[in-house]
Amino acid sequence: MEKTYHIITIGCQMNKSDSERIANYLESLGYSWTDERERADVVVTTTCGVRQSAEDRIYGLVPRIKRSNPKGRIILTGCLSRREDVRRRLEEYVDIWMPITELPDLAAKLGKKGTGSLSGYLKINPKYGSNFSAFVPIGNGCDNFCTYCVVPYARGRETYRPAEDVIREAEGLIKKGYKEIILIAQNVNSYKDEKGMDFPDLLRAVNDIEGDFWLRFATSHPKDMSNKLIGTIAGCAKLCQHVHLPAQAGDDEVLRRMNRKYTKDHYLKLIEKIRAEFDPKLKNRKSFVEPISITTDIIVGFPGETKEQFQETARLFRAARFDMAYIAQYSPRPGTASAKMEDDVCRKEKKRREEELMKILRKTALVNNKIYQGKIVEVLFDKKNQKGIFGKTRANKTVRCDRDAKAKIGEIARVKILKIQDFGLEGKIIDGKK
Ligand code: SF4
């Protein structure tokens, strides 16, 4: 009988992309997908250790899977797969611990003949989860060692794919009609391949592939955001006008203790530069072009963050006028440098700081969105539910249209914006497929 597999993915875009590679790898070994994890021969869980809440999910989930499927081989990969304390805690429920870089060796662990000679797991082709939008990893790992972050321990040091591999993968997708290519890595802007190609060169090369598609990338580190990259973002027509630039904090001393290697001033100047480079190009255009949107990640309540230091983050928020922010309350991650610092901001105060930033964010996002009223934008639709059909604009704004609107998931349509909110727009499709 045919062997089956099931994958559960928790966490970031890199984890989603890793799961796509695991799926294709298992299929190459003769396994086929099943929705029933209780009956699967192999159940893979791609874990996230960035927040305590994501980690806690695993402690409930993995024993449940094993109990409901005692014969299945349970594989644990992702951020938690190298952690000794997690291994001890879940020892009796996990059959194979697999840091993602060991994917090429999985065949042998499953007792199959496989592709163990592959140099690097990113050489394994993915089974894409979408037929119109694809994550294309350009590398893996991180060398930055921000003091709160598990990624350098969980994924190891930075390694990058040769540009020709990335370009070949993108070309293949575009030929198949993919509408959106998202280049991903923990820190895209420190990309360098063996032939000396840097990230702006790579972006330009992918942008220059023939075809009608949108290009995105994530995530950038402010210390590596060069003038060359900013110029490239502004100069590449297929590159969407959205930059995700994690600030993490607005106080220089907190940033120093986070080992972020930039100051609040540097961060704000970068944003000014990005807007100055991009937005004048929009003037004198006959049709509406979305301005660049800037989004960020923030941690509130980092060890030792005083009320005054938090106010520096609030000031950064007002000055930066973000379109969106992912605000996390600090939680210590085992094995990181900050886990040795005293977690001295209480939960209630962390929540209060999160809410204060959220209030500022709602205001700046709403002001930024006002320009959209009555304008026509392109939207790539990606989700439909009872409330309507949803998609994203080039600037990554979420747009909702009526459920019965003539639009299909995976298609780009032109939409007239009729209503604006802080974190979303509503509109009416004015014509079908682009
Ligand atoms: S840059 Fe910092 S936060 Fe980002 S993955 Fe690397 S260590 Fe983690």
Side-chain angles (χ1 to χ4, degrees), residues 20 126-136 169-182 210-214 380 410 412:
E20 293 179 344
K127 180 190 178 199
Y128 301 104
S130 155
N131 60 6
F132 60 89
S133 172
F135 295 122
V136 177
E169 185 175 343
E171 277 171 346
L173 289 160
I174 293 155
K175 267 197 199 119
K176 283 187 198 145
Y178 273 72
K179 302 283 190 329
E180 185 176 61
I181 305 293
I182 309 165
E210 216 171 292
D212 195 7
F213 63 94
W214 292 2
L380 173 56
I412 296 172

Side-chain angles (χ1 to χ4, degrees), residues 141-146 148-152 186-187 221 248 260:
C142 186
D143 294 348
N144 287 323
F145 288 92
C146 300
Y148 52 83
C149 182
V150 292
V151 168
Q186 266 75 37
N187 184 18
H221 195 304
Q248 305 298 8
R260 292 292 287 175

Side-chain angles (χ1 to χ4, degrees), residues 76-89:
L76 195 139
T77 184
C79 274
L80 300 177
S81 57
R82 285 183 204 265
R83 283 246 316 266
E84 284 307 321
D85 56 328
V86 178
R87 286 186 176 213
R88 279 194 298 276
R89 190 161 168 178

